[in-house]
Amino acid sequence: MKKKIFVTVILLFFIASLAFSIYYPSRDNFSNIKNGLENKKYSIDELEFPGWYGEDGDYASMEDAQIIIKDVGTYVSSIKLSGNYTGKNTHMQIFYTTEQGEPFTPEKSKIVSWYSTGSRIYIDADIEAYSLRIDLTEQRDDELSISNIELNDRTAVFSINSIAKWCVLPTILVGIILFVALYFRGIKPYLDKFKQYMPLVTNLVSRDLKVKYRRSVLGFLWSILNPLLMALVIHTVFSRLFRFDIQYFATYYLVGSLIFNFVVECTSNALGSVISAAALIKKVYIPKYIFPFQKCVFALVNMLFGCVAVIVVMLIQGVPFHATMLLFFVPMCYAFVFAYGFGLILAAATVFFRDIQHLYSVFTAVWMYLTPIIYPEEMLLSNGLGIIMKLNPMYYYTHYLRSVVMYGTLPSLEENIMCIVFALVMLIAGNIVFKKTQDKFILHI
Amino acid sequence: MENDNIIELRNVFMKFRMASQRVETLKEFVIRTLKRQLSFEDFVAVNDVSFDVKRGEVVGLIGLNGSGKSTTLKIISGILKPSSGSVVIRGKISPLIELGAGFDFDLTARENVFLNGAVLGYSKKEMLEKMDEIIEFSELHDFMDTPIKNFSSGMVARLAFAIATQIDPEILIVDEILGVGDFLFQQKCEQRINKMMSGGTTVVIVSHSIEQIERLCDRVVWLDHGKVVMIGDTHEVCAQYRNMENR
């Protein structure tokens, strides 16, 4: 009965929001109209085009070309460039001023995401500006001609982005809320049981810690030294051999790898947790999810040691400390929930198919290279791999932690929602898989 | 209405997949699926077993090897989920299926008390309250801070029995473990179980020692090839069981 309600509501909501997202196709129009943003159009005569080959704005090959828009004087949510465009790898940065006569400075600039339809380029700006400068940088074969520019446009354009934003995300969120509302009372006894077995979790975690550090002289110091040495190696290699334009590269790497390695440690430990607890499972009744959960808590403890290493490197490199640093635990919580859900699936699958552990180590290697950890985030964007980045949950968690720790910025609501959605979807999927299979574990271990 | 039955088994079946045909890897699974060799044969370990245990009763399970006694105990203690049928348990269980379940042999005896307590769902504080009694009963005063890998099997058994019985469970499940330790300790165990019984604890025992069953139990369930042969008064069932043995 509950299942029917759940499926029906979700389906109806999905259809309704899909219709909505097609009816209001571009996210820009809708929010622009709704927020009453001023719509402004500029012909090429009103713009300046420093650094362009050919005539102003008309058929230019793009290498370090700029477009300057004066007299903006409004909040700019989106920018539409109409004309002709070939290529997809352009790197765009917007500089903006807020007062008259103010020069353009790197402090007031942002790298923006954009998409093109061939005849138009849409840029997400979200800037309050007096004047704007758009820098288009170096991709050899990209060519662009511009006939006019429109700020906060209101014409409809169909896009994947708008479906994602107005249909897929809301459907998932409503699904989660509905799920909790419908099944919450069923969850209560589970929570009680979970509480009852908390001492077991702490016991197993402290046992794991003892086992991990008993035979080494430096003991717990290893957890701090290891990432420090790793950061040193990476710093040396990448500052000499491959140069990236990243300030505080060692910190950048360490913060990213901290949370990424945490998720990998959680999942790969959880993967074998049920099998290695075979002796216990065969003799006593214990809720089986305790084992993957305990491995995740263990990894969490290790990550907290790693945090010390991050602070050390930040001090050495002289990275400024921000108050937002205190929010470091938020992305960690998101990542924990995500990793636990994923760990449940892996643990259950490994009981039936032992070779999953080998496959998984290959998977994590690929995953690491697809996540911006040792290279800048823009590299994926400018290579047309932005879609992979947007679908990779680890991108959001690493980005979130870097924002609060290194850059002192607060991630937007949208980023938070993405983090939460990934975490909860994984958690629910993990629980369903684990619950369906856990009674058969004992026959296979 | 308060139900008098603390354990209820109704038409319980337990099927196992034959070990020889088990598919353990994804590779094997894919290959066998492609070759269409993916067939399974089931082995029925427990076949339509139903019985109740009343609060405070001591029930023995008897039968030859492979009659499904231990499987039934594991079903009662929640380790195994039956393939079909229903199991209702109305109390907290302390299983003594195999001694040393949940022991970590690298940890000391004291740490293992907490670990084992946690395995059974008790907090550190609760175990701390019972620590003295556990030490007293297991007679391990001088060895509490020794890693138990250095213990003899008798010492491990004493510790395990002490923990399982000192936490005051409502249901105690005992599988063939009264045969460990010297005869003095065996007597002590029996006394302890007797004391728990008079204190209202429900006990389910599996043993091959008919004398022990006769001494301790109120009722006996006789299993053979996973089926219930007879349920009833200890002496009646035991007498029948002996007859069969003599035949």
Side-chain angles (χ1 to χ4, degrees), chain A residues 196-197 199-200 203-204 207 210 214 280-286 352-355 359 439 442-443, chain B residues 16 22-27 29 74 77-81 92 98 101-102 104 111 114 118-119 121 123:
Chain A
Q196 192 196 345
Y197 280 93
L200 179 62
N203 246 299
L204 291 175
R207 187 191 66 179
K210 276 178 203 159
R214 196 181 36 216
L280 260 185
I281 291 175
K282 280 183 185 163
K283 288 171 193 164
V284 203
Y285 166 76
I286 296 174
F352 300 102
F353 304 114
R354 297 295 156 92
D355 46 357
L359 293 174
D439 293 337
I442 192 160
L443 309 178
Chain B
F16 289 111
R22 218 176 263 168
V23 177
E24 287 210 326
T25 63
L26 202 59
K27 187 185 72 187
F29 181 77
K74 284 185 178 174
S77 48
I79 299 167
L80 285 174
K81 261 262 173 74
K92 223 168 177 182
E98 238 170 288
D104 187 308
E111 288 167 324
F114 295 126
V119 165
S123 70

Side-chain angles (χ1 to χ4, degrees), chain A residues 20 54 80 97 123 126 156 238 266 324 331 415 418 423 431:
Chain A
F20 179 83
K80 183 175 87 175
T97 63
I123 305 170
D126 293 321
F238 280 85
C266 279
T324 49
E415 277 178 76
M418 283 311 287
N431 269 298

Side-chain angles (χ1 to χ4, degrees), chain B:
Chain B
M1 195 184 80
E2 178 75 21
N3 202 319
D4 212 23
N5 293 333
I6 194 162
I7 300 171
E8 278 178 18
L9 269 69
R10 288 280 175 278
N11 307 92
V12 169
F13 284 86
M14 188 73 224
K15 288 175 189 148
F16 289 111
R17 189 157 290 173
M18 298 298 258
S20 57
Q21 286 160 328
R22 218 176 263 168
V23 177
E24 287 210 326
T25 63
L26 202 59
K27 187 185 72 187
E28 214 174 322
F29 181 77
V30 171
I31 292 172
R32 287 225 199 166
T33 312
L34 291 177
K35 283 176 154 181
R36 296 172 193 278
Q37 283 181 349
L38 212 60
S39 65
F40 301 109
E41 214 176 295
D42 284 337
F43 165 73
V44 184
V46 174
N47 194 343
D48 199 7
V49 168
S50 312
F51 64 86
D52 301 329
V53 177
K54 291 194 169 51
R55 209 169 277 275
E57 233 182 351
V58 179
V59 171
L61 292 181
I62 57 171
L64 303 172
N65 282 336
S67 59
K69 305 184 296 288
S70 296
T71 309
T72 310
L73 276 198
K74 284 185 178 174
I75 289 172
I76 293 173
S77 48
I79 299 167
L80 285 174
K81 261 262 173 74
S83 314
S84 66
S86 76
V87 182
V88 180
I89 308 291
R90 299 193 177 86
K92 223 168 177 182
I93 292 186
S94 171
L96 268 178
I97 303 282
E98 238 170 288
L99 285 177
F103 277 174
D104 187 308
F105 283 74
D106 284 330
L107 299 180
T108 67
R110 194 180 302 277
E111 288 167 324
N112 267 306
V113 171
F114 295 126
L115 181 60
N116 206 326
V119 165
L120 300 171
Y122 291 87
S123 70
K124 192 164 180 173
K125 206 177 127 217
E126 287 170 292
M127 293 313 288
L128 215 53
E129 284 165 14
K130 296 185 169 103
M131 185 61 93
D132 290 337
E133 293 168 54
I134 291 170
I135 298 174
E136 189 61 43
F137 188 84
S138 61
E139 302 165 14
L140 292 168
H141 307 271
D142 302 335
F143 304 102
M144 286 311 281
D145 295 309
T146 314
I148 59 170
K149 63 184 169 193
N150 301 332
F151 278 20
S152 72
S153 57
M155 287 160 85
V156 175
R158 262 145 59 189
L159 186 65
F161 191 87
I163 296 170
T165 52
Q166 289 300 341
I167 54 176
D168 296 323
E170 286 166 87
I171 305 167
L172 181 68
I173 305 261
V174 187
D175 186 4
E176 292 294 358
I177 53 111
L178 298 180
V180 293
D182 52 33
F183 75 96
L184 274 178
F185 188 72
Q186 281 189 32
Q187 277 179 5
K188 206 169 162 183
C189 289
E190 256 180 53
Q191 277 165 16
R192 175 70 199 158
I193 289 183
N194 273 321
K195 203 177 138 202
M196 287 173 80
M197 278 153 33
S198 52
T201 308
T202 311
V203 185
V204 181
I205 298 180
V206 162
S207 178
H208 282 295
S209 156
I210 293 295
E211 290 76 25
Q212 205 172 38
I213 296 276
E214 280 185 316
R215 267 203 312 280
L216 291 168
C217 298
D218 304 326
R219 275 198 314 146
V220 170
V221 178
W222 174 10
L223 293 172
D224 188 46
H225 289 94
K227 286 187 176 164
V228 177
V229 179
M230 211 176 159
I231 302 178
D233 177 66
T234 307
H235 296 288
E236 273 174 46
V237 179
C238 284
Q240 289 271 357
Y241 186 68
R242 280 219 177 81
N243 270 341
M244 181 206 66
E245 270 184 335
N246 294 338
R247 244 182 299 160

